[in-house]
Amino acid sequence: MSRPHTFTPPPCAHAHQLRTSRGDFAVLDASPPGATRGTALLLPGYMGSKEDFLALLEPLSAAGYRIVAVDGRGQYETDGTDRQETYAQGELALDVLAQAAALGAGGEGTVHLLGHSLGGQIARAAVLLDASPFRSLTLMSSGPAEVVEAQQLKVKVLGDALATLSMAEVWEAMRALDPPEDTATDGEALRQRWLRHRPAQLIATGRQLVTEPDRVAELAALPLPVHVLSGERDDTWPVPLLDEMAQRLDAHRTRITGAEHSPNTDRPEQTAAALAAFWDSL
């Protein structure tokens, strides 16, 4: 998961509930100081939340974009059920379409959609259902199909643990095996975020990560500009695989130097600059 260095929004952003036809979703909403060049909807990855994009909010809003980072259904501050079927990828994709509609960004083809990791696969599913609300799609550290075998094993172990242990017990086990790499990160905030995730959401979306088919050809058939952005190293989808996917999509490609699976937290300034440049080019 991404480990944001803070859970405190910058002054340009405010937290609220985005009301949609499919329920309310917790968002961080950052508006530009002047004229708005566009609106972007940001979807977090597995075990993540809207706070994963905190460090992007100021530079992207300063570049003229309204940025709306969202907690998906059953993630952190967005409510969810205890039924795994409510987190089927198709259901989550419909949520994204409802979020885009609720932003009221000015009609069809106006929302820049970005998904990190799992969020990228949900974003892809959304545009394959209906690409008309979107101006572009950015896949951030999100590959063409299932995650690598080592990550599949981790997801399976996690799913088994969630089926038998409490969220608090699973958190303690994860910290023992994989302590936070960045001691500056607010560990208690990360723990509280974890405890507010719905186990059913984690089990269902984890299953998606290990079974996702390759849908690149379907995406390539859409007349939608695509940006494939990643760090220079990635242990979830190998960077050469992301390079190949970008070629298959005829997509804009960015590698963020010094970043790994979460360029949004590893190198936020460079990531924001790359995103704004791509959106500006459209």
Side-chain angles (χ1 to χ4, degrees):
M1 60 178 157
S2 293
R3 295 184 174 98
H5 296 283
T6 179
F7 274 64
T8 302
C12 65
H14 70 285
H16 66 95
Q17 294 286 321
L18 180 68
R19 295 190 172 184
T20 82
S21 61
R22 289 178 61 83
D24 296 349
F25 295 86
V27 300
L28 291 170
D29 196 333
S31 297
T36 301
R37 295 177 60 84
T39 297
L41 176 62
L42 278 52
L43 313 181
Y46 190 56
M47 299 191 288
S49 69
K50 59 191 180 301
E51 285 73 20
D52 293 342
F53 302 113
L54 274 173
L56 300 180
L57 298 182
E58 278 194 319
L60 287 177
S61 62
Y65 291 92
R66 179 189 177 192
I67 306 299
V68 181
V70 62
D71 288 339
R73 184 178 302 275
Q75 281 184 321
Y76 192 30
E77 294 181 324
T78 295
D79 197 14
T81 75
D82 294 323
R83 294 180 289 110
Q84 293 182 35
E85 60 269 24
T86 62
Y87 305 105
Q89 189 185 76
E91 294 297 316
L92 301 180
L94 289 171
D95 288 347
V96 174
L97 294 174
Q99 293 156 12
L103 290 179
E108 293 189 349
T110 56
V111 177
H112 297 287
L113 182 61
L114 179 150
H116 173 238
S117 195
L118 170 72
Q121 298 195 332
I122 295 170
R124 180 173 73 176
V127 302
L128 289 175
L129 281 178
D130 183 5
S132 65
F134 303 110
R135 181 68 186 93
S136 72
L137 171 65
T138 296
L139 301 173
M140 179 187 289
S141 304
S142 186
E146 76 279 359
V147 297
V148 297
E149 187 174 351
Q151 295 295 336
Q152 292 181 35
L153 178 59
K154 289 183 179 180
V155 171
K156 181 183 185 304
V157 170
L158 177 61
D160 291 344
L162 289 168
T164 57
L165 302 175
S166 70
M167 290 291 283
E169 289 170 329
V170 174
W171 175 260
E172 293 305 320
M174 289 195 302
R175 294 307 88 202
L177 293 172
D178 184 23
E181 297 171 359
D182 189 342
T183 56
T185 298
D186 188 340
E188 180 56 26
L190 287 173
R191 178 178 179 274
Q192 291 300 321
R193 175 175 72 173
W194 167 262
L195 293 176
R196 295 185 67 174
H197 273 67
R198 292 289 182 132
Q201 188 268 353
L202 292 166
I203 293 170
T205 56
R207 187 181 305 116
Q208 293 167 31
L209 283 171
V210 303
T211 60
E212 178 74 2
D214 188 322
R215 306 186 70 186
V216 174
E218 294 175 69
L219 182 58
L222 297 179
L224 184 70
V226 178
H227 184 189
V228 174
L229 185 149
S230 74
E232 58 183 352
R233 295 176 300 278
D234 197 301
D235 63 359
T236 306
W237 288 278
V239 169
L241 184 66
L242 299 177
D243 293 339
E244 180 188 24
M245 181 180 73
Q247 291 177 350
R248 294 170 62 193
L249 291 169
D250 193 22
H252 184 70
R253 179 72 174 105
T254 301
R255 288 193 193 188
I256 302 297
T257 301
E260 298 188 16
H261 185 62
S262 297
N264 44 307
T265 56
D266 293 343
R267 295 290 186 272
E269 296 85 1
Q270 297 91 326
T271 300
L275 292 171
F278 173 65
W279 295 336
D280 287 349
S281 74
L282 304 177

